[in-house]
Amino acid sequence: MSFHVNFNPHGKELDEAFQAVISEKDETNWLIFAFDKGTYDLRVQATGDGGLEELCDEFSDGKVQFAYAKVIDPNTELPKFVFIGWCGSGVPELRKAFFNSQLSDVSKFFKSFHVQINARDEADVEPDLIMKRVAESSGANYSVHKETAKTQSRVEPVGSVYKKTEVPNIAAMQRESMTKENAPKPVGTNYTPIQTAPKKLASRWNMAQQQSQDSGAMAVRAERERFEREVREREMQKAKEVSMVDHREEEERRRREHEEAAMARQREEQEAQRQREEEERHQKLQLEEEARARRQQEEREEAERTRQQEEQLHAEEEERQRKAEEEERKHKAREEEEREQQRLQQEEAERLERQKREEEERLERQRQEAEELERQKQEEAALESQMNQTADRAVHASQAAGAAAAAPTSQHEGLCAVVLFEYDAAESNEMSLLEGEVVTQIDQVDDGWWFGVSEDGKKQGLFPANYVQLLEKQPEETPAQPIPAADTPPAPTFDSATAPAPAPAPAPAPAPASASAPAPPEQQQEDNGNVAIALYDYEADEDNEISFVEGDLITHIEFVSDDWWQGVSADGKSVGLFPANYVELKQ
C-alpha cells in the first residue's frame, strides 16, 4: 500500500470544497480534509461558514487532518488564507512518520496560502493565535484604506515674498514724526530760568551795562536752544531708528508668514502626494492580488488538466494491466486445466491402484474373517461346553448347599457362594478356589474381598468377591431346588491366567463369632466389580480391545492406566482394553 496521499477517489468533492472557500460569492470560509478509515484516500470531512471558532471543534486527537480557512487581515482588512496541518497526539506512530510528506502533497493541492500552521493540540489552533500569525504576516501596517476621501483644494502658484527696497524719504519721515500725533513727549530738564527784576532806567549812561547783561541772557538762551535742538535731533534720530526697526520687524513677520504659508502648502502637497502614492500602492496591491488569483486559477486549471491527463494515463495503464492480467489469467487457466487433466489422470490411476489394493485387502479381510469366524465357532463350542460343565457343577453345588442348609445339624451357616473362576492364593491369609466348589460361612469384610470356609471345612481365608456368585438360601420347609442352567451367569471367555489381577488383599479378618442371618433374596445380587456405562460407540482397532455401543454396561473393570482400562463387554464373551473417556463409572 502506498503511503502517499490519494486524491483520485474523492477528487471532485475536494476541488468543489476548495473552490467554495476561495470564491467571493460563496459564504463558505473553511474546510477540513481527512483520510478514509484504513487507507490514505483523502476525503472532505466537513465545511462551514462559522469561522475559526467552528473549525477548531472539528479537530480530533486520533486523526491526521488538513484544514484551509479564509480570514480577514485585521491590518489591511483584506482576505487572507490559512493552511493548517493537524497530527493529533493519539495518531499511531506509523502514520506520524509519513505526516510531513503527506503535508507537502496537500499543500501542493492548495497551491497558495498566506500562513501555514503545523498543529499538534488544541492550543496550536486557537483563533486568537491564528489571527496574530495572520497580522504578523501582513508586512506594512498601513491604514489608508480606512480613511475617507478628502476634497482636494485647487493648487495655486506660490507667490514670491521679495519686494523692491525703496530709498526712504527722510524729510517726509521727519515731517511725519513732527506732527502732533507723532510728536515726542517733552523731555524734562534741570534748567531753571533766571528771574530778573529790572529796575527803573536811571540814566541812559547805564546802557552799556544793560547791554552786557542782555548779551549774557542771549547767550544762555542760544545755548538752551542749541541743547533743545540737539535733543530733538536725537529724539528724531531715535524715532527714525525705531521706525526702521519696526519696519524691518514687520517685513520679517510678513516674510515668516509667507514662508509658513508656503510650508503649509508644501506639506499639503506632500500629504496629497503621499495619499496618491498610497492609493497607487493600494491599487497595485489589488492588481497583484487579482493577478495572483488569476495565476492561482490558471495553476488550478493546469493542475486539473494535468490530473485529468494523469487519470487518463492511469486509466489507460489500468486497461493495459487489465488486459495483461486477463491474458495471464487465461494462460494460467489453460495451465490449470492441463494440470487438472494430469491430476485427474493421476487420480484415475491412483483410484484404479487403490481399488486393486482394496480388492486385495477385501479378499484378505474375507479370508481373515473366515478364519476368525471359524475360530469364534471353535471358541463358542468350547465356551458352550465349559458353560455346560459349569452349570452342572453349579447345580451340583447348589443341591449340596440346599441339602446342607436343610439339615438341622449342619455346620454350614451364613452366606454361601459358588466359585465361577479358579483362583490361586497369593498370600498366607488367602484361600485358593476351584471352579464349581461351594464356599460357606462368607463374611463380606470388604467390597472387593470376602472371607469364607470351603465346603469340606479344610481351608478358609480371603478370596476375591468377583470370582464367586452368591447362592440363594432356600427356606427349611421346602426342598432345595437345583438352579436352572439358564440362570447361571455366563463365564468370561478369558481363563484365569488372563484374568485381571485383583487389588492388594486387606489384612485377614477373624471369623465371625456366630453366623449372620441370610440376606433377603432381593438384597442378594451378583458382584460385577467396577461397572461403567458406555457414553459413545467404540469400534475395536486391535485384537486386545473390545467394542461396545452407547448404553452398554462394562463389568469387572481394571484400571490399567489413566487413559486405558480393561473390562468385560456387555455380552460377557470378551475381555479387553477400551478408552477410559468413552465410559462413565457407576457408583
Side-chain angles (χ1 to χ4, degrees):
M1 182 179 67
S2 176
F3 296 102
H4 293 287
V5 180
N6 188 6
F7 298 92
N8 294 330
H10 309 286
K12 183 177 180 181
E13 293 83 357
L14 297 176
D15 188 66
E16 289 177 354
F18 176 65
Q19 294 297 332
V21 173
I22 64 175
S23 175
E24 295 181 356
K25 298 179 181 179
D26 201 312
E27 296 296 331
T28 304
N29 56 18
W30 64 267
L31 62 82
I32 186 166
F33 294 165
F35 291 121
D36 284 338
K37 187 175 182 181
T39 67
Y40 290 99
D41 298 339
L42 197 64
R43 62 176 176 84
V44 178
Q45 177 180 327
T47 60
D49 55 2
L52 297 176
E53 291 78 5
E54 184 180 14
L55 173 61
C56 292
D57 296 336
E58 298 293 330
F59 292 107
S60 175
D61 288 340
K63 291 184 179 180
V64 174
Q65 298 168 298
F66 305 96
Y68 194 76
K70 179 170 64 176
V71 298
I72 301 299
D73 188 344
N75 293 331
T76 63
E77 294 186 0
L78 297 175
K80 296 293 180 70
F81 296 98
V82 181
F83 173 50
I84 303 173
W86 173 273
C87 182
S89 58
V91 175
E93 296 298 329
L94 179 61
R95 284 187 174 262
K96 286 183 179 179
F98 298 101
F99 174 70
N100 290 332
S101 61
Q102 294 169 352
L103 182 67
S104 176
D105 294 341
V106 178
S107 65
K108 291 177 183 177
F109 173 81
F110 291 127
K111 296 184 181 62
S112 63
F113 41 82
H114 298 88
V115 178
Q116 177 176 341
I117 297 175
N118 295 340
R120 295 292 184 272
D121 52 31
E122 295 180 357
D124 297 334
V125 293
E126 289 292 335
D128 295 339
L129 178 62
I130 296 175
M131 294 306 298
K132 181 180 178 182
R133 294 281 300 275
V134 172
E136 292 174 352
S137 68
S138 61
N141 187 8
Y142 59 88
S143 60
V144 65
H145 58 282
K146 300 179 182 179
E147 298 178 359
T148 58
K150 296 181 179 179
T151 304
Q152 300 293 332
S153 59
R154 182 177 178 181
V155 179
E156 297 178 354
V158 179
S160 175
V161 297
Y162 171 75
K163 287 186 178 181
K164 183 179 179 180
T165 304
E166 298 177 355
V167 178
N169 189 352
I170 297 175
M173 293 171 61
Q174 288 178 352
R175 283 195 300 273
E176 184 180 357
S177 62
M178 293 304 292
T179 59
K180 185 175 182 180
E181 290 81 6
N182 296 327
K185 295 180 180 179
V187 179
T189 179
N190 294 327
Y191 171 75
T192 303
I194 297 173
Q195 298 292 332
T196 61
K199 295 180 179 180
K200 295 181 177 181
L201 185 59
S203 65
R204 55 184 299 179
W205 304 104
N206 291 333
M207 183 64 66
Q209 185 180 359
Q210 186 177 359
Q211 291 179 351
S212 62
Q213 291 178 352
D214 293 338
S215 61
M218 290 177 62
V220 172
R221 188 167 50 254
E223 182 66 22
R224 186 175 61 252
E225 291 177 354
R226 184 181 61 80
F227 177 75
E228 290 178 354
R229 187 168 58 251
E230 291 177 357
V231 169
R232 282 195 302 273
E233 290 178 355
R234 284 197 300 271
E235 289 178 354
M236 289 176 65
Q237 185 66 24
K238 184 177 180 180
K240 181 179 178 182
E241 291 177 357
V242 169
S243 175
M244 293 183 66
V245 168
D246 292 339
H247 182 70
R248 284 195 298 272
E249 288 179 354
E250 181 66 19
E251 289 180 352
E252 183 68 21
R253 184 181 63 78
R254 291 177 181 177
R255 185 180 62 79
R256 283 197 301 271
E257 289 178 354
H258 284 295
E259 289 179 354
E260 289 176 358
M263 289 178 65
R265 284 192 296 272
Q266 186 177 2
R267 283 194 299 272
E268 291 177 356
E269 291 175 357
Q270 290 176 353
E271 182 67 19
Q273 182 68 20
R274 187 181 65 79
Q275 291 180 357
R276 285 193 298 273
E277 290 176 356
E278 290 290 343
E279 291 177 356
E280 291 175 357
R281 186 162 54 251
H282 180 63
Q283 294 176 357
K284 184 178 180 181
L285 287 173
Q286 288 182 345
L287 293 175
E288 289 178 355
E289 288 288 340
E290 294 175 356
R292 185 161 55 249
R294 285 195 298 272
R295 285 196 302 272
Q296 291 176 356
Q297 182 67 23
E298 292 174 357
E299 289 175 356
R300 283 194 297 273
E301 293 176 355
E302 182 66 24
E304 180 65 22
R305 287 194 296 272
T306 305
R307 185 177 64 81
Q308 292 177 355
Q309 293 175 358
E310 290 177 353
E311 289 179 354
Q312 184 177 0
L313 293 174
H314 183 65
E316 293 175 355
E317 182 67 22
E318 288 182 348
E319 183 66 21
R320 286 195 296 272
Q321 290 180 357
R322 188 183 61 77
K323 291 181 179 179
E325 289 175 356
E326 185 68 24
E327 292 294 332
E328 184 69 19
R329 281 197 299 273
K330 291 179 180 179
H331 181 66
K332 289 182 178 179
R334 287 194 296 271
E335 292 180 351
E336 186 67 26
E337 185 177 357
E338 293 175 358
R339 285 196 297 271
E340 183 67 20
Q341 291 177 358
Q342 293 176 359
R343 186 181 63 79
L344 291 175
Q345 293 174 359
Q346 184 176 1
E347 287 181 354
E348 182 66 20
E350 291 177 354
R351 186 180 63 79
L352 294 175
E353 182 67 23
R354 188 167 56 253
Q355 287 179 354
K356 183 178 179 181
R357 261 194 327 270
E358 289 176 353
E359 183 66 22
E360 292 176 355
E361 291 176 357
R362 186 179 62 78
L363 294 175
E364 180 66 21
R365 282 198 303 272
Q366 287 179 357
R367 185 182 61 79
Q368 292 178 358
E369 288 175 358
E371 293 177 355
E372 181 68 22
L373 184 60
E374 184 65 25
R375 187 179 61 80
Q376 287 181 359
K377 288 180 179 179
Q378 294 175 1
E379 289 179 355
E380 288 176 359
L383 179 60
E384 186 176 359
S385 174
Q386 185 180 2
M387 289 175 63
N388 291 334
Q389 294 174 5
T390 303
D392 293 340
R393 287 195 295 270
V395 169
H396 175 70
S398 62
Q399 288 175 355
T409 59
S410 176
Q411 298 177 357
H412 303 293
E413 297 179 355
L415 299 175
C416 299
V418 62
V419 178
L420 300 177
F421 312 103
E422 281 189 18
Y423 176 68
D424 293 331
E427 301 290 339
S428 59
N429 61 345
E430 296 179 7
M431 180 177 66
S432 298
L433 301 177
L434 296 175
E435 186 177 354
E437 72 173 325
V438 177
V439 181
T440 62
Q441 300 181 16
I442 295 175
D443 184 8
Q444 299 176 346
V445 296
D446 190 74
D447 292 340
W449 290 87
W450 294 348
F451 181 83
V453 181
S454 64
E455 186 178 10
D456 54 8
K458 295 180 179 180
K459 55 183 179 181
Q460 64 179 7
L462 296 170
F463 59 89
N466 57 349
Y467 275 53
V468 300
Q469 181 178 4
L470 289 174
L471 296 174
E472 295 181 0
K473 189 173 181 180
Q474 300 293 332
E476 296 181 358
E477 65 273 6
T478 59
Q481 299 294 331
I483 301 175
D487 295 335
T488 305
T493 59
F494 52 90
D495 55 13
S496 59
T498 61
S514 59
S516 59
E522 61 272 15
Q523 294 181 356
Q524 298 178 358
Q525 58 183 1
E526 181 181 359
D527 186 2
N528 294 325
N530 293 315
V531 180
I533 185 171
L535 300 177
Y536 313 100
D537 297 345
Y538 179 70
E539 184 70 25
D541 295 332
E542 303 292 341
D543 295 339
N544 61 345
E545 297 178 5
I546 62 173
S547 301
F548 50 81
V549 296
E550 183 179 355
D552 285 354
L553 290 177
I554 303 172
T555 60
H556 304 292
I557 294 175
E558 180 183 358
F559 306 104
V560 177
S561 67
D562 292 340
D563 298 327
W564 289 87
W565 297 348
Q566 178 176 298
V568 181
S569 62
D571 56 4
K573 296 180 181 181
S574 57
V575 178
L577 298 172
F578 60 90
N581 56 351
Y582 273 56
V583 300
E584 180 181 8
L585 282 174
K586 295 183 67 178
Q587 300 296 330

